[in-house]
Amino acid sequence: MLAALIFYLFAGILSLSALMVITARNPVHSVLFLILAFFNAAGLFVMLGAEFIGMLLVIVYVGAVAVLFLFVVMMLNMEFKELRKGSMRFIPVGLLLGGVLLTELVIVYQTWKINPKVLTETLGDSAAAPEVPLTNTEALGQILYTDYIYIFQGAGMILLVAMIGAIVLTLRERSGLKRQKVADQQKRQASDVLEIKKVTPGTGI
Amino acid sequence: MLEYYTFFGLSIPVFLVGIGVLIGALLLSVAYLTYFERKVLGAMQRRQGPMTVGPLGLLQPIADGLKLFSKETIIPSAAHRAVFLIAPMLLFMLALIAWAVIPVGAQMVLSNINVGILYLFAVSSMGVYGVIMAGWASNSRYAFLGAMRSASQMVSYEVSMGLIIVSVLLVCGSLNLSEIVLAERPWFAQILLIPMFVVFLVSILAETNRAPFDLPEGESELSGGFMVEYSSMTFALFFLGEYANMILMSGMTVVLFMGGWLAPLPLEAFEYVPGIVWFVLKTTLVLFFFIWARATFPRYRYDQLMRLGWKVFLPFTLGWIVLMSGTLLAFDALP
Amino acid sequence: MINLPISIDAIIPEITLACGAMFLLIIGALSKRIITNTLSYAAVLLLIFTFFLLVSLNWDTSISMNGFFVMDSFAGLIKSAVLLSMAGVLALSTGYMKREEIVAFEYPILVLLSTLGMMVMVSANDLLSLYIGLELQSLALYVLATIRRNSLRSAEAGIKYFVLGALSSGMILFGSSIIYGFAGTTNFTAIAEAFSANPDMKLGLSMGLVFLLSGLAFKISAAPFHMWTPDVYEGAPTSVTALFAIVPKLAALALMMRIFCEPFMGLQDMWVQILWVLSVASMLVGAFAALTQENIKRLLAYSSIGNVGYALIGIIVGGTGGLGATLYYFLIYMAMTAGTFGIIMSLRREGASLEKIESLEGMSKTHPVQAYVLAILMFSMSGIPPMAGFFGKLFIFESAIAGGYIYLAVLGVVSSVVAAYYYLRIIKVMFFDEQVEELQYETNVPRDAVIIVSILIITGLVLMPEPLLIMTQNATASLF
């Protein structure tokens, strides 16, 4: 009962904020609603018993990715009204295409049923499960670096390429910049730059 | 089915009372943390600190609170009203909800979830939104600059904080905060964790926007930064949120590195002291460090701050994790 | 020897390539001077070394890495072609990059990493590894398209390519999720098994396949998903355009062949219809839209769209005959394109690189050798009988007729006759138009070597077209 209530709370806010993401007039509000949607999705994950994924969603998407989103949107100061001016013309086409796609998906999903083989395999595994059930994190860790190592490393290479790309496209070496070199500052001795002269009165140097 | 995300074996009234007690204690600590800070700063600067209201100035925080309550809440006409008002509430709320998972004593935790540390990290990483929203919604240049500084600073230091947490997890082998406290740590792991502890202490200064990393507020250049447009209760919420965050981060440090509610030395006399007392004492010690740092160091320049985060802490923690996992593997001490 | 929980023997070439690329990246980042050229030559050597490692492997069909990776003679052949042509492309580009003052040392590294992505794609035996490989190669290519970041057109090309590429990746993911939802697995072999066990999941699988296929059609720029191609080819630096035109499509076509032959063989009646439309549309777009182009790079873009159309015919026909003919055709196309781009990159007019077709005017008088080489390449591209390109088209159309796709063959012949017009127009401009401005030919040893190899392949195949065909057919036999 309570679980159902909490589920509907999360799911309801999630769908509403997803709707607001695309309808909000102010792009910053859109991003804020997107964050709310992420957060509620994380709540749903926790309810599913996938607490690790849920927390990761908050840490990575809410805590880091969406911050940068918000940054960009705030800095750009876009006039979305201008951008949206022409878009009303395409709404009929969009609705038509969306409607066709939705109908197709509905028809397709009506034929859906769980592949019996999958059912037997998962159930078979849980029957042979150890006495103390694994936590999420342990379960993920056990397959991520063994069964899925190929994919994991591949994803790592993709991130490397993304990093190289970001650096290639944005890093500009400017010449003639003055930079602080802490080591050089520390190395500097008073005797290198300072000369003490004994000046007798009335003579000058 | 229900138990792991609702009441953790506690009946609803007990649970609600627990929440009430925790929040009450927290608010009281926040109030007296400000008093503590002013007293310590005063002592360090050879002044007396608050003296007039009540004996030894003990009623000063309450007087300050009443003063803030009685002021008018000003909302700038160009501000985005809803976001402007949500921002301080969010910041304060986040500082409170994180306490749900922190074990203040043996079995004394509201929800003993098995990804406690991730939850804590997630909540602390969301704190940045309060700041950004405040800065943007104020529609003021100072506020926006402060918010930008704060966001980039918090995101940068979160990376190394995450890595430090990973190093603790390597030693303890659990994401549950109580288990982290209770886990047996081999002596060499303890030694290896000391540099991480130092980096963590510096990082939490940056994460809570405290001196010497208080550039987002930077009163000398930004006249108060992201909260420049806030007044009265909205300002009070920011203020409370900041101090509650300090306490939260201190609590996190205590749990991760200082043995939580356990006694510092295995003396028999210490056995009779309840765990919560040790927890409070240790937290106070870390809080003292916060204030000490504020009294000691001048504010960092912005580029120095970024350099420290990305070019010093990140490579160092990354390398240290490799070293630690290697050592643990070599001694066969992985949990 | 360390005991690993899984055998990594089959992916040694990939590991070598990845480690080599990272090593070169570190060298480039640490070096004080700009050493793009040295790194390029090192990358060429690395690619050739990887090729030898690949050849030394056992090419018998084997599945490893927990079902994510398959090695068979098909993958072996395609990967060899990818590695060698990538080495060729890098050799082509060294002189060009230097002259155009594109100094980013990351250029050869991104080329290496996109090669790695293609190898992963070709060996994919799972929707996950398919996606990882595809994304690795396209991400590197997005950056390469934008690498001349001071040029507005290069930036525009990069953004267009990136946005549309991301959209197509999204479609692939969406399709994969539908397929996973119905089949309950992402493994190719297991999908085929699941489908044969309950055929009533056909509707769902074909829905997923449609999305997957539209995403892949973006990547091979088959019409009507070709819109990005001319702009990107025009805007990107010519050496990168050469790369786009030559290599990635081979990997994507190979991937398509694998998914059609393994997991979705049972849905043949579905995807043949889609491919039929894609193929005819590409051939027609490639033939007619190119007629009015003045820019050589745009022209070659449309030409590549048309060639993908021909290549798809073989996949529609299926079987070792059809697939073998497609591979044969595409390998020849790659050789021809490499030669063509080599010559275009070498030509300069008044210090600027060549872009317009009319700039080739009177080339036969000033640079007769190069003009004849380009003429041979153009004859071959248009499929005029003695050249290798003719055999490529011949085998494709032959297989189409043998498979009963008469209309496809007729449409193919018609469109290639139309396409012959613009290939021959280049020859006409070179040989019969009066020269207005002086044209310089810049000699660069690696680039000229690639051109010579390309000409040797084309003329060599005239003498004996059969062995390569047998080779490609044998390779595709491992798919069935």
Side-chain angles (χ1 to χ4, degrees), chain C residues 303 307 310 328-329 331-337 339-340 372-394 416 419-420 423-424 427 454-462:
Chain C
S303 143
N307 280 304
Y310 301 124
Y328 181 82
Y329 179 76
L331 291 176
I332 291 174
Y333 164 77
M334 284 160 67
M336 295 187 299
T337 318
T340 314
Y372 279 106
V373 169
L374 193 54
I376 292 176
L377 287 166
M378 286 299 128
F379 275 127
S380 178
M381 281 263 201
S382 55
I384 306 268
M387 303 305 168
F390 165 73
F391 290 106
K393 283 189 178 156
L394 177 72
S416 62
Y423 293 125
L424 296 181
I427 297 175
S454 143
I455 285 293
L456 282 183
I457 292 174
I458 291 167
T459 44
L461 284 172
V462 174

Coordinates of all heavy atoms in Angstrom, one line a residue, chain C residues 303 307 310 328-329 331-337 339-340 372-394 416 419-420 423-424 427 454-462:
Chain C
S303 N 29.0 10.5 -55.3 CA 29.4 9.2 -55.9 C 29.5 8.1 -54.9 O 29.1 7.0 -55.1 CB 30.8 9.4 -56.5 OG 31.6 8.4 -56.4
N307 N 27.5 4.5 -54.8 CA 28.3 3.3 -54.7 C 27.7 2.4 -53.5 O 27.7 1.2 -53.6 CB 29.7 3.6 -54.5 CG 30.4 3.9 -55.8 OD1 30.3 3.1 -56.7 ND2 31.0 5.0 -55.9
Y310 N 24.9 0.5 -54.9 CA 25.3 -0.7 -55.6 C 25.7 -1.8 -54.6 O 25.3 -3.0 -54.8 CB 26.5 -0.5 -56.6 CG 26.2 0.6 -57.6 CD1 27.0 1.7 -57.8 CD2 25.1 0.4 -58.5 CE1 26.7 2.6 -58.7 CE2 24.8 1.4 -59.4 CZ 25.7 2.5 -59.5 OH 25.4 3.5 -60.5
Y328 N 33.7 -7.4 -53.0 CA 34.6 -7.3 -54.1 C 34.4 -5.8 -54.6 O 35.4 -5.1 -54.8 CB 34.3 -8.3 -55.2 CG 35.1 -8.3 -56.4 CD1 36.4 -8.9 -56.4 CD2 34.7 -7.6 -57.5 CE1 37.1 -8.9 -57.5 CE2 35.5 -7.6 -58.7 CZ 36.7 -8.2 -58.7 OH 37.5 -8.2 -59.8
Y329 N 33.2 -5.5 -54.8 CA 32.9 -4.2 -55.4 C 33.4 -3.1 -54.5 O 34.1 -2.1 -54.9 CB 31.4 -4.0 -55.5 CG 31.0 -2.7 -56.1 CD1 31.2 -2.4 -57.4 CD2 30.5 -1.7 -55.3 CE1 30.8 -1.1 -58.0 CE2 30.2 -0.4 -55.8 CZ 30.3 -0.2 -57.1 OH 30.0 1.1 -57.6
L331 N 35.7 -3.2 -52.1 CA 37.2 -3.1 -52.0 C 37.8 -2.4 -53.2 O 38.7 -1.5 -53.0 CB 37.8 -4.5 -51.9 CG 37.5 -5.2 -50.6 CD1 38.0 -6.7 -50.6 CD2 38.0 -4.5 -49.4
I332 N 37.3 -2.6 -54.4 CA 37.8 -1.9 -55.6 C 37.4 -0.4 -55.4 O 38.3 0.4 -55.7 CB 37.1 -2.5 -56.8 CG1 37.7 -3.9 -57.1 CG2 37.4 -1.6 -58.0 CD1 37.1 -4.6 -58.2
Y333 N 36.2 -0.1 -55.0 CA 35.8 1.3 -54.8 C 36.8 2.0 -53.9 O 37.2 3.1 -54.1 CB 34.4 1.3 -54.3 CG 34.0 2.7 -53.7 CD1 33.7 3.7 -54.6 CD2 34.0 2.9 -52.4 CE1 33.4 4.9 -54.1 CE2 33.7 4.1 -51.8 CZ 33.4 5.1 -52.7 OH 33.1 6.4 -52.2
M334 N 37.2 1.3 -52.8 CA 38.1 1.9 -51.9 C 39.4 2.2 -52.5 O 40.0 3.3 -52.4 CB 38.3 1.0 -50.7 CG 37.1 1.0 -49.7 SD 37.2 -0.5 -48.7 CE 38.6 -0.1 -47.7
A335 N 39.9 1.3 -53.3 CA 41.2 1.5 -54.0 C 41.1 2.7 -55.0 O 42.0 3.6 -55.0 CB 41.6 0.3 -54.7
M336 N 40.0 2.7 -55.7 CA 39.8 3.8 -56.7 C 39.8 5.2 -56.0 O 40.4 6.2 -56.4 CB 38.6 3.6 -57.5 CG 38.6 2.4 -58.4 SD 37.2 2.3 -59.4 CE 35.8 2.2 -58.3
T337 N 39.0 5.2 -54.9 CA 38.8 6.5 -54.2 C 40.1 6.9 -53.6 O 40.4 8.1 -53.6 CB 37.7 6.3 -53.1 OG1 36.7 5.5 -53.6 CG2 37.2 7.6 -52.6
G339 N 43.1 6.5 -54.7 CA 43.9 7.1 -55.8 C 43.4 8.4 -56.2 O 44.1 9.4 -56.3
T340 N 42.0 8.5 -56.3 CA 41.4 9.8 -56.7 C 41.8 10.9 -55.7 O 42.2 12.0 -56.1 CB 39.9 9.7 -56.9 OG1 39.6 8.5 -57.6 CG2 39.3 10.9 -57.6
Y372 N 46.5 11.2 -67.0 CA 46.1 9.8 -67.4 C 45.8 8.9 -66.3 O 44.8 8.1 -66.3 CB 47.3 9.2 -68.3 CG 47.2 9.7 -69.7 CD1 48.1 10.7 -70.2 CD2 46.2 9.3 -70.6 CE1 48.1 11.2 -71.4 CE2 46.2 9.8 -71.9 CZ 47.1 10.7 -72.3 OH 47.0 11.2 -73.6
V373 N 46.5 9.1 -65.2 CA 46.2 8.3 -64.0 C 44.7 8.6 -63.5 O 43.9 7.7 -63.3 CB 47.2 8.6 -62.8 CG1 46.7 8.0 -61.5 CG2 48.5 8.0 -63.2
L374 N 44.4 9.9 -63.4 CA 43.1 10.3 -63.0 C 42.0 9.8 -64.0 O 40.9 9.3 -63.6 CB 43.0 11.8 -62.8 CG 41.8 12.3 -62.1 CD1 41.6 11.7 -60.8 CD2 41.9 13.8 -61.9
A375 N 42.4 9.8 -65.3 CA 41.5 9.4 -66.3 C 41.2 7.9 -66.1 O 40.0 7.4 -66.2 CB 42.1 9.6 -67.7
I376 N 42.2 7.1 -65.8 CA 42.0 5.7 -65.6 C 41.1 5.4 -64.4 O 40.2 4.7 -64.5 CB 43.4 5.0 -65.4 CG1 44.2 5.0 -66.6 CG2 43.2 3.5 -64.9 CD1 45.6 4.4 -66.4
L377 N 41.4 6.2 -63.4 CA 40.5 6.1 -62.2 C 39.1 6.4 -62.5 O 38.2 5.7 -62.0 CB 41.1 7.0 -61.1 CG 42.4 6.6 -60.4 CD1 43.0 7.7 -59.6 CD2 42.1 5.4 -59.5
M378 N 38.9 7.5 -63.3 CA 37.5 7.9 -63.6 C 36.8 6.8 -64.5 O 35.7 6.5 -64.3 CB 37.5 9.2 -64.3 CG 37.8 10.4 -63.3 SD 36.6 10.5 -62.1 CE 37.6 10.5 -60.6
F379 N 37.5 6.3 -65.4 CA 37.0 5.2 -66.3 C 36.6 4.1 -65.4 O 35.5 3.5 -65.6 CB 38.0 4.8 -67.3 CG 38.0 5.6 -68.6 CD1 39.2 6.2 -69.0 CD2 36.9 5.8 -69.3 CE1 39.2 7.0 -70.2 CE2 36.9 6.6 -70.4 CZ 38.1 7.2 -70.9
S380 N 37.4 3.8 -64.5 CA 37.2 2.6 -63.6 C 35.9 2.9 -62.7 O 35.1 2.0 -62.6 CB 38.4 2.3 -62.7 OG 38.1 1.3 -61.9
M381 N 35.9 4.1 -62.2 CA 34.7 4.5 -61.3 C 33.4 4.4 -62.1 O 32.4 3.9 -61.6 CB 34.9 6.0 -60.9 CG 35.8 6.2 -59.8 SD 34.9 6.3 -58.3 CE 36.1 7.2 -57.2
S382 N 33.4 4.8 -63.4 CA 32.2 4.8 -64.1 C 31.9 3.4 -64.6 O 30.8 3.2 -65.1 CB 32.2 5.8 -65.2 OG 33.4 5.6 -66.0
G383 N 32.8 2.5 -64.5 CA 32.6 1.1 -64.9 C 32.7 0.9 -66.4 O 32.0 0.1 -67.0
I384 N 33.7 1.5 -67.0 CA 33.9 1.3 -68.5 C 34.7 0.0 -68.6 O 35.7 -0.2 -67.8 CB 34.7 2.5 -69.1 CG1 34.0 3.8 -68.7 CG2 35.0 2.3 -70.5 CD1 33.0 4.3 -69.7
P385 N 34.4 -0.9 -69.5 CA 34.8 -2.2 -69.5 C 36.2 -2.6 -69.1 O 36.3 -3.4 -68.1 CB 34.5 -2.7 -70.9 CG 33.2 -2.0 -71.2 CD 33.3 -0.7 -70.5
P386 N 37.3 -2.2 -69.7 CA 38.5 -3.0 -69.3 C 38.9 -2.8 -67.8 O 39.6 -3.6 -67.3 CB 39.6 -2.4 -70.2 CG 39.1 -1.1 -70.7 CD 37.6 -1.1 -70.6
M387 N 38.4 -1.7 -67.1 CA 38.9 -1.4 -65.8 C 38.3 -2.3 -64.7 O 37.2 -2.9 -64.9 CB 38.6 0.1 -65.5 CG 39.2 1.0 -66.5 SD 40.9 0.8 -66.7 CE 41.3 1.7 -68.1
A388 N 38.9 -2.2 -63.5 CA 38.5 -3.1 -62.4 C 37.1 -2.7 -62.0 O 36.3 -3.6 -61.6 CB 39.4 -2.9 -61.3
G389 N 36.7 -1.4 -62.0 CA 35.4 -1.0 -61.6 C 34.3 -1.7 -62.4 O 33.2 -2.0 -61.9
F390 N 34.6 -2.0 -63.7 CA 33.7 -2.7 -64.5 C 33.4 -4.1 -63.9 O 32.2 -4.5 -63.8 CB 34.2 -2.8 -65.9 CG 33.5 -3.8 -66.8 CD1 32.2 -3.5 -67.2 CD2 34.0 -5.0 -67.1 CE1 31.5 -4.5 -68.0 CE2 33.4 -6.0 -67.8 CZ 32.1 -5.7 -68.3
F391 N 34.4 -4.8 -63.5 CA 34.2 -6.1 -63.0 C 33.4 -6.1 -61.7 O 32.5 -6.9 -61.5 CB 35.5 -6.8 -62.7 CG 36.2 -7.2 -64.0 CD1 37.3 -6.5 -64.4 CD2 35.7 -8.2 -64.8 CE1 37.9 -6.8 -65.6 CE2 36.4 -8.6 -66.0 CZ 37.5 -7.8 -66.4
G392 N 33.7 -5.1 -60.9 CA 32.9 -4.9 -59.7 C 31.4 -4.8 -60.0 O 30.6 -5.6 -59.4
K393 N 31.1 -3.9 -60.9 CA 29.6 -3.8 -61.2 C 29.1 -5.0 -61.9 O 28.0 -5.4 -61.6 CB 29.4 -2.5 -62.1 CG 29.5 -1.3 -61.3 CD 29.1 0.0 -62.0 CE 29.2 1.2 -61.1 NZ 29.4 2.4 -61.7
L394 N 29.9 -5.6 -62.7 CA 29.5 -6.8 -63.4 C 29.1 -7.9 -62.5 O 28.0 -8.4 -62.6 CB 30.6 -7.3 -64.4 CG 30.3 -8.6 -65.1 CD1 29.3 -8.3 -66.2 CD2 31.6 -9.1 -65.7
S416 N 24.1 3.7 -63.4 CA 25.5 3.9 -63.6 C 25.8 4.5 -65.0 O 26.9 5.1 -65.1 CB 26.2 2.5 -63.4 OG 25.8 1.6 -64.4
A419 N 25.5 8.1 -64.1 CA 26.7 8.5 -63.4 C 27.9 8.6 -64.2 O 28.8 9.4 -63.9 CB 26.9 7.5 -62.2
A420 N 28.0 7.8 -65.3 CA 29.2 7.8 -66.1 C 29.4 9.2 -66.7 O 30.5 9.7 -66.9 CB 29.0 6.8 -67.3
Y423 N 31.5 11.3 -64.3 CA 32.9 10.9 -64.3 C 33.6 11.3 -65.5 O 34.8 11.8 -65.5 CB 33.0 9.4 -64.1 CG 32.5 8.9 -62.8 CD1 31.5 7.9 -62.7 CD2 33.0 9.4 -61.6 CE1 31.0 7.5 -61.5 CE2 32.5 8.9 -60.4 CZ 31.5 8.0 -60.3 OH 31.1 7.5 -59.2
L424 N 32.9 11.1 -66.7 CA 33.6 11.4 -68.0 C 33.8 12.9 -68.1 O 34.7 13.3 -68.8 CB 32.8 10.8 -69.1 CG 32.7 9.3 -69.1 CD1 31.9 8.8 -70.2 CD2 34.1 8.7 -69.1
I427 N 37.1 13.9 -67.1 CA 38.1 13.6 -68.2 C 38.0 14.6 -69.3 O 39.1 15.1 -69.8 CB 37.8 12.2 -68.7 CG1 38.0 11.2 -67.6 CG2 38.8 11.9 -69.9 CD1 37.7 9.8 -68.0
S454 N 47.2 2.1 -55.8 CA 45.8 2.1 -56.2 C 45.7 1.8 -57.7 O 44.9 0.9 -58.1 CB 45.2 3.5 -55.9 OG 44.3 3.9 -56.9
I455 N 46.6 2.4 -58.5 CA 46.6 2.1 -59.9 C 46.9 0.6 -60.2 O 46.3 0.0 -61.0 CB 47.6 3.0 -60.7 CG1 47.0 4.4 -60.8 CG2 47.9 2.5 -62.0 CD1 45.8 4.5 -61.6
L456 N 47.9 0.1 -59.4 CA 48.3 -1.3 -59.6 C 47.2 -2.2 -59.3 O 47.0 -3.2 -60.1 CB 49.5 -1.6 -58.7 CG 50.9 -1.0 -59.2 CD1 52.0 -1.5 -58.3 CD2 51.2 -1.5 -60.6
I457 N 46.4 -1.9 -58.3 CA 45.3 -2.8 -57.9 C 44.3 -2.8 -59.1 O 43.8 -3.8 -59.5 CB 44.6 -2.3 -56.6 CG1 45.6 -2.5 -55.5 CG2 43.3 -3.1 -56.4 CD1 45.1 -2.0 -54.2
I458 N 44.0 -1.6 -59.6 CA 42.9 -1.5 -60.6 C 43.4 -2.2 -61.9 O 42.6 -2.9 -62.5 CB 42.6 0.0 -60.8 CG1 41.9 0.6 -59.6 CG2 41.7 0.2 -62.0 CD1 41.8 2.1 -59.6
T459 N 44.6 -1.9 -62.3 CA 45.0 -2.5 -63.6 C 45.3 -4.0 -63.3 O 45.1 -4.8 -64.2 CB 46.3 -1.8 -64.1 OG1 47.2 -1.6 -63.0 CG2 45.9 -0.5 -64.7
G460 N 45.8 -4.4 -62.2 CA 46.1 -5.8 -61.9 C 44.8 -6.6 -62.0 O 44.8 -7.7 -62.5
L461 N 43.7 -6.1 -61.4 CA 42.5 -6.8 -61.4 C 41.9 -7.0 -62.8 O 41.1 -7.9 -63.1 CB 41.5 -6.1 -60.5 CG 41.7 -6.3 -59.1 CD1 40.8 -5.5 -58.2 CD2 41.6 -7.8 -58.7
V462 N 42.3 -6.1 -63.8 CA 41.9 -6.3 -65.1 C 42.4 -7.6 -65.7 O 41.7 -8.3 -66.3 CB 42.4 -5.1 -66.0 CG1 42.1 -5.3 -67.5 CG2 41.8 -3.8 -65.5

